Amino acid sequence: MLNVSADNYQQKQLIDASFWHIIETEFEPKALHHKETVFTLGNGYLGTRGSFEEGYPEDCPATLIHGVYDDTSIAYTELVNCPSWLPLVVKVAGDRFSMDSGEILKYERRLDMRLGIVSRDVRWRSPNGHTLDFHFERFASLADQHVLAIRCQITSIDFAGDIEVEFQFNAEQDTQGVKHWQTLNQGSADNTIWLHSQTLHSEIQLGMAAKLVVKEDKENSSPTFVETRLIASLLPTSPSTCLQLQPKQTVTVEKIVTVFTSRETEKPMEAALQRLADEPCYSTLLAAHITAWDQVWQDNDIIIEGDSEAQLSIRYNLFQLLAVAPRHDDKVSIPPKTLSGFAYRGHIFWDTEIFILPLLTLTQPALARNLLTYRYHSLPGARRKAQEAGYKGAMYAWESATTGDEVTPRWVPDPNGNLVRIWCGDIEVHITADVAYAVWQYWQITGDDEWMRDYGAEIILDTAVFWESRVEWNQQRQCYDIRDVIGPDENHDRVDNNAFTNLMVQWHLQSALEMWDWLKQAYPDTWAHLGQQLDLVSERLQRWADIREHIFVNQDAQTGLIEQFEGFFGLEHVNLEDYEPRTKSMQGLLGIEATSEKQILKQPDVLMLLYLLRDRYDYKTLASNWDYYNPRTDHTYGSSLGPAINAILACDLNQTTEAYTHFQRAALVDLEDVRRNAGEGVHAASAGGVWQAVIFGFGGIRMTQFGPVACPNLPPNWTRLKFRLQWRNEWYDFDLKADEVAFQEDRENSSPLFPTADSPFQIQGVIFDLDGVLTDTSEFHYLGWKRLADEEGIPFDREANEAMRGLPRRESLLHILGDRPTTEEQIQEMMERKNRYYLEFMHTIKPDNLLPGVANLLQELRDAGVKVALGSSSKNAQTVIDRLGIADKLDVVADGYSVSQPKPAPDVFLFAAEKLGLSPSECVVVEDASAGVEGALVAGMRAVGLGPVERVGKAHVVLPSLENVCWQDLQQQIVTSDNQAVLVGGMAR
C-alpha cells in the first residue's frame, strides 16, 4: 500500500507530518513495476529504478545514464540499460533473503525526497524459520554524480549462525530483451570489484567499481567473521563475506560504487577505480549528498498548507525532475520518462522545452541553460533534417538523441502485430517553434544576453529560415498556409493549417525579427556574422514580416473561437460521457482511423496555444475556446500533457474547482498510477506541468517586464501557498495566504479574473491615479520642468512635456537631458530642484482644483460601499490630497513611498489592493497615462482610461474625463466591455 491517497493521510501524518516521504507499507507484487518507477533515484547523471537489491521475479531493474545511446532496430537508437550496480545478496543459513521466499512479517519502503534516499525495512522469517530485520538504504550522490551507495543493516531476532553477503554487478543487463553491452574486462581483489564494458555499436565505454565495507554493531558484541572468498555467480568475480551472527546483534554492510563513461573521460575504468580508492566512508558521502539536496530544496520547495495530498505530490513531481536535470553536461536533455523507464527509448521531445524548462528557468537557470544548449549542439542535425526534407534552415527532430537527427520510428507494430505508419517524425513540425519559444522565454526571464548572443540567437534565426521555406502562398485566400502537419493533438494527423502550429510560427517570426534588431544594437559583430552565415538579407526579413501578417488562421471574429485545423468543425461530435466508465483512451476504444474522423482530442492544442501566448488573448477568446474544446478532450486517458495546462486555464477562467480536478489528474499520475502506465517510467512533462499549474494557475503568477507578479487563485482547501522564483538574478519570495487573498470560500460563485455576461464582474475597489485623474497638476509639473530646463539651457516646451506623461521623475529628467553627459550627483540635485519648484506651485492647490465629476464619483463610491485607494507614483501625493480635501474619501494611499518600482510596473496597484484587502481581480484602476494602464493590466485589474484612444486605448473602457460620470453607469460599462470596442462620449475603442 502506497500512502498517497487522501484516505491515508490522517494515519500518515502521524508518521510523516512534514510530507517529505512516499511510504509503501504493504508489498504488492502486481504493482511491482509501478513502484519501481515511484522509487526511482537520480542525480542529474544517471537514474536507477526502485528495484530490490536482491532482485525479484520478473522485475525490471534499470540504470540509465544521460547520453549513453546505442543503435537499435526500428527506433534507430535508444538509451541503454547499463550494467546494474544494485545486486547485494544475503544468505541466512543457506536461505537467500528475498521478498518472494519465507514470510514477510513487517514491511515498509520509503522515499525521503528531502534527503534523496530510498530505504526499506523488512522483518523476514526464512524458509527455515529464522527471523531477522533488514534495513536497506541507498542514494545516488547529488554531491558527486559518479558515486552511488547502498547500506544494509542486518539484525538477528532469533537467529544464531552463519550469514553470507555477496556483492556484484550484473554485466548482462539488457534493454527490454535487447543486448547492448560487451564486457571488456572485469575482476576483483580483496573487497573490491570492477567491470569495464562497451556498447556494441556506439562504442561508449563504461567503468564501474565497488567496494564492500562491513561494520560491527557498536552497542552489542561484534559479529564473528569467518572468511571472505570468491563464489560463482552472474560474474565469475563476486566477493562474498561470511560472518556469524547472534540474536540481538546487528551487522552493517556498505556497498560504495563509482561509475564513469567515455563521454566524460578517455579512460573510464581507471577513473572509476581511482575515485573509489579516494572515496571516504558511507556516512561522509551521505552527509555531502544530503547537503547538496538541502541547497536545491532551499530554492525549489513549494509549501502548500491545507491539502496534504497536494503537498506531497508537488514535492514528488519536483523531486523527480530535479533528480534528472543534467548538472554538468550540456549535450544531453531530459527524456519523457526521465531516466526511470524505457518508453520512448530515451529520445528527446518537446516535453523538455514546453513543460519542464519553465520550472528550471525560474528556479535553476543554470540547468535550464544546459538543456537549451543541447538544442544548440543539435542544430547540425536539425539542418540535415531540413535539407533532407527539401527545406532551408533548421528543422528540429520530433525525436532526437545524440546528434539531433530524426530518430522517430516510421513504422511500429500495433497490439495485433500490424505495422502502423508514424508521421510525427515527418510532419509534427511545431517542435521547431517550441524550441525557439523556450529559448526566448529563458532569455526574457534570465536576461542572459551572452548566452543569447552565443547560442540562442542562432537557434531562433535559423529555425525562422525553416518556416520561410515551409509555408505556402495561397493565391485564392491571399494568405500563407502550412499544410500536411500534426499538431499537439495527435489524434488527428496530416491536417492543414493547424492553429497551434500556424500561430506559433507567427509568434516565432515576430520574435526573430525583434531579436534580430536587438542583436544589431547590442552585439553588432555577432549580428554581422550570423547575417552572413544564415544569409539574412533584408528581403528575407521582409518576407518573415509578410508571413507573420498573412498566415492563415480560422478564427470567428465575434466569438474568438479558433478552428483547430481546417475541416475540424466538420468532423463528427461525440459525447465522451457516453463511453464512461472506461479504462483506456478513446483511440484505444474506437481505433486510430475512427478517432481521427471525430472531434475527439488527445490533447487540446488550441487551449495549449492560448496558454503559451496567454498575454495575446482576452478572456472572451479563452472562454469561447474552453467551452468548445474542453468537453471534446479525452482528459483521463488521452495525453498526460494536457491536465496540468487545463488546470491553469481553468484558473484563468476562475473555475478553481475544475482546475483542481485537472491538477489532481496530473499530480497523481505516477504516485497513484491513474493512467495505468506508470510502470513505464515517470511522466516528466506532466511533472513539469504540475509545477506550472501550482505557480501559474493557483499562484496566478504573471511574468512582466518588471518581474513576476502574483494574482492568486487558491483552491478552497488551500490556506497557504509559498514558493520562490528567480528573475534576472533576483529572488522573489511569494507567501500567499487564503485570508490575505480574501477570496470567497466557494470559488464557483466568486468573481472571475475578467467579467463575462454570465458571471458579473464584482467590483469591490477602485484605485485612482492622482495627476490627470483627480486633479490636474500637470501644469505645475510643466512649469517646474520648464524652469529647470531654462536654467540648464535646454530647449523645452509643452509638446516635449506631453511626451513625458506618465513617466516618473527620474525618467522625465533623463528624457529632458537626452545625450547630455551628467553625473549621478547632478541628476539628484536637478530632481530635488525641480521638486522644490513643483512644491512651490502646488501650495496654491485648493478643493476647487478637483477635476469635474471627481467629488461626485467619490461620494457615490462611498455610498455604495466600494473601497477607494490612491495609486500614484508621486511622493507628494499625501500633500496634494490633503490640500484637495479628499483624504476622508480614500481608504488607502499608495504612493512613491509605498513601492520601489514605478509604473508601468504593477507594484503600486498591487500594494493598494493588498491594503484594501482585495484581490487584483476585484479592483478597477482609473488612469490617464499609458504606463498606468499597462501597469493595471499587468496587475490583473480592469482599467478605465481617461484621454485619447492613442494614449489609453488599451484600457477596458475609455472616457474623455470623469465629468458627468456616475458609478452605476461606469460599473455597467466595465462589466460589459470585456475588451470589446465600446462607444463612450463619442470615442471608440
Side-chain angles (χ1 to χ4, degrees):
M1 180 179 296
L2 190 64
N3 285 353
V4 177
S5 64
D7 293 341
N8 294 323
Y9 272 100
Q10 274 308 113
Q11 180 182 0
K12 183 182 185 311
Q13 289 184 54
L14 300 176
I15 304 171
D16 177 26
S18 64
F19 304 108
W20 281 102
H21 299 143
I22 304 297
I23 304 172
E24 181 184 42
T25 56
E26 182 180 334
F27 175 57
E28 300 175 7
K30 291 182 179 179
L32 178 68
H33 295 159
H34 168 215
K35 303 303 172 57
E36 286 177 334
T37 293
V38 169
F39 290 98
T40 293
L41 286 177
N43 64 358
Y45 174 71
L46 56 73
T48 296
R49 282 171 64 83
S51 304
F52 297 139
E53 288 82 358
E54 72 278 3
Y56 193 86
E58 298 183 9
D59 62 355
C60 185
T63 292
L64 303 170
I65 299 178
H66 274 307
V68 180
Y69 290 92
D70 194 39
D71 297 350
T72 188
S73 61
I74 300 179
Y76 302 101
T77 189
E78 64 183 359
L79 206 60
V80 300
N81 192 4
C82 295
S84 178
W85 60 278
L86 290 180
L88 187 67
V89 176
V90 179
K91 294 180 181 179
V92 179
D95 288 334
R96 175 173 173 150
F97 165 71
S98 175
M99 295 290 293
D100 66 326
S101 69
E103 183 180 359
I104 306 299
L105 303 177
K106 292 182 182 179
Y107 172 83
E108 180 182 287
R109 180 161 49 163
R110 181 182 297 239
L111 167 61
D112 186 327
M113 297 176 288
R114 187 173 187 84
L115 306 182
I117 298 172
V118 165
S119 62
R120 179 168 47 121
D121 288 283
V122 182
R123 175 161 290 184
W124 180 68
R125 181 171 293 145
S126 73
N128 286 318
H130 306 303
T131 307
L132 299 95
D133 283 344
F134 292 86
H135 173 77
F136 291 90
E137 178 182 289
R138 70 178 182 238
F139 65 91
S141 176
L142 198 69
D144 185 340
Q145 65 178 9
H146 298 289
V147 175
L148 314 162
I150 300 171
R151 178 162 61 188
C152 176
Q153 292 175 312
I154 309 165
T155 301
S156 170
I157 303 300
D158 58 18
F159 171 70
D162 291 347
I163 290 180
E164 186 176 64
V165 180
E166 303 174 18
F167 73 115
Q168 57 194 240
F169 297 132
N170 183 0
E172 303 301 321
Q173 201 74 61
D174 60 57
T175 306
Q176 295 183 301
V178 178
K179 295 186 180 299
H180 285 289
W181 294 98
Q182 59 176 324
T183 299
L184 302 180
N185 189 16
Q186 59 185 321
S188 67
D190 298 326
N191 66 334
T192 301
I193 61 174
W194 61 87
L195 173 67
H196 188 193
S197 302
Q198 181 174 285
T199 53
L200 296 176
H201 306 288
S202 58
E203 298 184 345
I204 296 175
Q205 292 186 25
L206 177 143
M208 299 180 79
K211 63 182 177 182
L212 190 71
V213 179
V214 180
K215 295 186 176 181
E216 64 185 39
D217 181 3
K218 297 293 185 182
E219 297 181 0
N220 300 292
S221 57
S222 62
T224 302
F225 289 88
V226 178
E227 62 178 328
T228 299
R229 64 176 188 272
L230 298 182
I231 64 170
S233 186
L234 290 175
L235 288 178
T237 51
S238 298
S240 170
T241 294
C242 219
L243 52 93
Q244 290 182 343
L245 196 63
Q246 299 297 320
K248 310 306 179 184
Q249 285 186 335
T250 298
V251 63
T252 299
V253 179
E254 297 171 353
K255 180 180 181 181
I256 298 173
V257 181
T258 55
V259 56
F260 285 81
T261 76
S262 54
R263 294 188 68 254
E264 309 95 54
T265 177
E266 292 184 2
K267 298 179 178 180
M269 191 65 259
E270 290 183 16
L273 288 168
Q274 182 61 52
R275 181 65 59 88
L276 185 68
D278 295 339
E279 288 301 343
C281 66
Y282 180 96
S283 298
T284 302
L285 293 172
L286 178 61
H289 166 72
I290 290 173
T291 299
W293 266 112
D294 183 64
Q295 291 172 350
V296 170
W297 283 119
Q298 285 179 23
D299 295 332
N300 279 96
D301 188 26
I302 292 177
I303 294 174
I304 298 172
E305 294 182 358
D307 188 340
S308 306
E309 187 174 76
Q311 177 65 89
L312 194 67
S313 63
I314 184 60
R315 281 179 174 154
Y316 179 78
N317 285 281
L318 274 170
F319 173 78
Q320 290 298 352
L321 291 181
L322 295 170
V324 74
R327 283 166 164 71
H328 308 288
D329 193 342
D330 63 9
K331 293 182 174 63
V332 296
S333 189
I334 299 176
K337 294 297 182 184
T338 66
L339 296 176
S340 64
F342 304 123
Y344 304 109
R345 311 292 183 124
H347 297 169
I348 309 304
F349 292 71
W350 72 315
D351 303 39
T352 308
E353 281 72 30
I354 298 301
F355 294 90
I356 300 173
L357 268 168
L359 155 67
L360 299 177
T361 299
L362 280 160
T363 64
Q364 302 278 346
L367 305 187
R369 185 168 59 245
N370 282 345
L371 295 170
L372 288 170
T373 307
Y374 161 79
R375 290 297 189 182
Y376 175 82
H377 292 310
S378 62
L379 262 177
R383 288 171 176 141
R384 285 190 293 270
K385 180 178 179 180
Q387 185 176 20
E388 290 166 4
Y391 302 116
K392 299 177 181 178
M395 174 187 183
Y396 275 105
W398 178 243
E399 299 182 30
S400 67
T402 302
T403 65
D405 291 281
E406 185 63 71
V407 292
T408 304
R410 292 198 166 189
W411 297 90
V412 297
D414 65 13
N416 299 319
N418 301 315
L419 290 179
V420 178
R421 180 66 161 91
I422 303 299
W423 290 101
C424 301
D426 300 271
I427 58 176
E428 194 155 358
V429 292
H430 66 81
I431 188 173
T432 298
D434 303 332
V435 172
Y437 179 89
V439 168
W440 182 270
Q441 292 298 317
Y442 169 80
W443 182 41
Q444 294 298 303
I445 291 169
T446 65
D448 191 347
D449 290 348
E450 291 185 0
W451 185 88
M452 178 58 88
R453 175 197 65 195
D454 297 338
Y455 302 98
E458 189 172 345
I459 293 174
I460 289 179
L461 293 170
D462 211 16
T463 48
V465 172
F466 162 70
W467 291 124
E468 176 192 349
S469 65
R470 184 62 171 82
V471 300
E472 302 174 36
W473 177 249
N474 187 317
Q475 185 65 34
Q476 182 179 357
R477 282 196 301 230
Q478 293 291 293
C479 66
Y480 290 96
D481 292 337
I482 302 181
R483 300 191 302 113
D484 195 20
V485 299
I486 303 174
D489 170 30
E490 294 175 351
N491 278 356
H492 301 91
D493 56 21
R494 309 208 71 175
V495 302
D496 295 339
N497 289 316
N498 169 255
F500 179 95
T501 303
N502 286 22
L503 286 166
M504 287 297 288
V505 169
Q506 182 185 66
W507 168 88
H508 188 165
L509 294 176
Q510 172 63 34
S511 300
L513 290 168
E514 292 178 17
M515 194 275 302
W516 182 244
D517 290 340
W518 165 81
L519 196 64
K520 182 177 182 180
Q521 295 297 322
Y523 299 104
D525 291 343
T526 303
W527 175 82
H529 171 72
L530 288 178
Q532 183 176 15
Q533 176 186 339
L534 305 179
D535 192 25
L536 300 180
V537 295
S538 59
E539 292 80 7
R540 167 161 280 167
L541 301 175
Q542 290 170 4
R543 180 165 162 80
W544 290 1
D546 190 53
I547 296 170
R548 174 197 62 193
E549 294 298 323
H550 297 99
I551 198 163
F552 177 77
V553 178
N554 183 21
Q555 181 175 16
D556 186 276
Q558 297 299 318
T559 65
L561 182 63
I562 301 171
E563 186 175 31
Q564 180 171 308
F565 56 82
E566 277 196 89
F568 180 85
F569 289 155
L571 300 180
E572 177 188 351
H573 172 56
V574 174
N575 184 1
L576 299 185
E577 293 297 324
D578 294 342
Y579 293 86
E580 297 296 344
R582 56 190 171 89
T583 57
K584 59 173 64 176
S585 69
M586 290 302 298
Q587 191 180 73
L589 287 175
L590 303 178
I592 296 175
E593 188 171 335
T595 305
S596 70
E597 296 171 351
K598 297 174 174 60
Q599 292 185 351
I600 299 175
L601 308 184
K602 179 179 180 182
Q603 182 177 337
D605 54 11
V606 170
L607 297 181
M608 184 74 197
L609 169 78
L610 297 183
Y611 167 60
L612 294 182
L613 304 181
R614 65 198 307 209
D615 293 337
R616 297 191 173 197
Y617 294 97
D618 58 21
Y619 174 89
K620 185 173 184 178
T621 299
L622 174 56
S624 177
N625 285 278
W626 174 270
D627 291 343
Y628 190 86
Y629 288 109
N630 188 48
R632 290 165 167 79
T633 303
D634 184 356
H635 296 296
T636 51
Y637 293 103
S639 172
S640 64
L641 280 57
I645 305 305
N646 288 334
I648 301 170
L649 296 177
C651 285
D652 285 354
L653 295 166
N654 210 36
Q655 298 179 20
T656 316
T657 299
E658 180 162 0
Y660 190 76
T661 298
H662 288 296
F663 166 75
Q664 284 186 304
R665 289 190 180 113
L668 301 175
V669 67
D670 292 317
L671 286 176
E672 293 196 347
D673 196 14
V674 297
R675 291 173 179 269
R676 305 189 179 191
N677 63 354
E680 297 177 354
V682 170
H683 291 75
S686 179
V690 167
W691 181 87
Q692 294 185 56
V694 171
I695 303 303
F696 299 126
F698 300 129
I701 290 296
R702 299 293 195 278
M703 300 308 302
T704 77
Q705 60 179 313
F706 303 99
V709 174
C711 304
N713 303 275
L714 300 185
N717 54 329
W718 290 19
T719 58
R720 185 188 190 193
L721 173 61
K722 187 174 185 292
F723 55 89
R724 323 185 68 203
L725 301 175
Q726 187 179 128
W727 185 80
R728 303 197 174 184
N729 295 317
E730 296 285 342
W731 282 103
Y732 290 71
D733 291 287
F734 295 88
D735 195 348
L736 312 175
K737 299 179 181 179
D739 53 348
E740 295 176 1
V741 173
F743 278 2
Q744 299 177 31
E745 187 171 343
D746 182 3
R747 297 293 300 172
E748 289 298 326
N749 297 321
S750 65
S751 60
L753 183 61
F754 305 109
T756 66
D758 297 329
S759 179
F761 180 59
Q762 301 297 320
I763 302 172
Q764 303 295 330
V766 179
I767 304 172
F768 291 93
D769 183 31
L770 178 60
D771 190 26
V773 174
L774 299 181
T775 189
D776 190 359
T777 60
S778 59
E779 180 68 12
F780 300 153
H781 283 294
Y782 167 68
L783 293 174
W785 286 124
K786 175 65 175 170
R787 183 171 171 183
L788 175 71
D790 289 346
E791 291 172 350
E792 296 296 324
I794 301 174
F796 187 76
D797 55 21
R798 293 186 183 277
E799 184 178 351
N801 184 69
E802 182 65 20
M804 303 189 318
R805 181 182 288 268
L807 293 179
R809 189 185 308 168
R810 182 183 181 87
E811 282 70 13
S812 295
L813 175 59
L814 295 177
H815 181 83
I816 293 171
L817 294 173
D819 296 331
R820 178 175 173 173
T822 313
T823 66
E824 180 60 30
E825 184 178 359
Q826 291 172 320
I827 289 174
Q828 292 296 327
E829 186 279 325
M830 283 187 277
M831 286 195 299
E832 292 173 6
R833 195 183 344 154
K834 182 269 174 182
N835 193 51
R836 189 168 64 250
Y837 299 154
Y838 170 74
L839 290 175
E840 290 176 8
F841 293 120
M842 193 181 66
H843 281 298
T844 64
I845 292 178
K846 299 177 293 185
D848 292 345
N849 291 112
L850 278 175
L851 289 172
V854 169
N856 240 10
L857 184 57
L858 289 176
Q859 188 59 49
E860 287 185 6
L861 291 170
R862 178 67 66 191
D863 295 341
V866 177
K867 296 180 180 180
V868 179
L870 183 77
S872 169
S873 298
S874 171
K875 292 187 175 181
N876 301 306
Q878 189 65 56
T879 301
V880 175
I881 62 174
D882 287 342
R883 296 195 65 83
L884 289 171
I886 58 171
D888 62 328
K889 299 293 192 297
L890 301 174
D891 298 291
V892 167
V893 173
D895 58 15
Y897 292 106
S898 304
V899 296
S900 58
Q901 291 282 3
K903 305 169 190 176
D907 300 30
V908 70
F909 299 131
L910 293 171
F911 178 86
E914 180 183 358
K915 293 303 178 183
L916 290 173
L918 301 175
S919 68
S921 63
E922 295 172 311
C923 296
V924 171
V925 171
V926 183
E927 262 285 358
D928 76 317
S930 59
V933 170
E934 181 181 344
L937 298 178
V938 168
M941 302 178 182
R942 307 297 277 179
V944 174
L946 304 183
V949 174
E950 292 77 14
R951 189 173 72 224
V952 292
K954 291 183 178 180
H956 298 89
V957 173
V958 175
L959 301 168
S961 69
L962 293 177
E963 188 172 7
N964 299 322
V965 172
C966 71
W967 172 235
Q968 185 174 358
D969 290 344
L970 178 58
Q971 185 179 26
Q972 186 58 40
Q973 290 169 3
I974 295 169
V975 169
T976 58
S977 64
D978 195 20
N979 289 321
Q980 298 299 304
V982 292
L983 288 173
V984 183
M987 304 184 71
R989 187 179 74 79

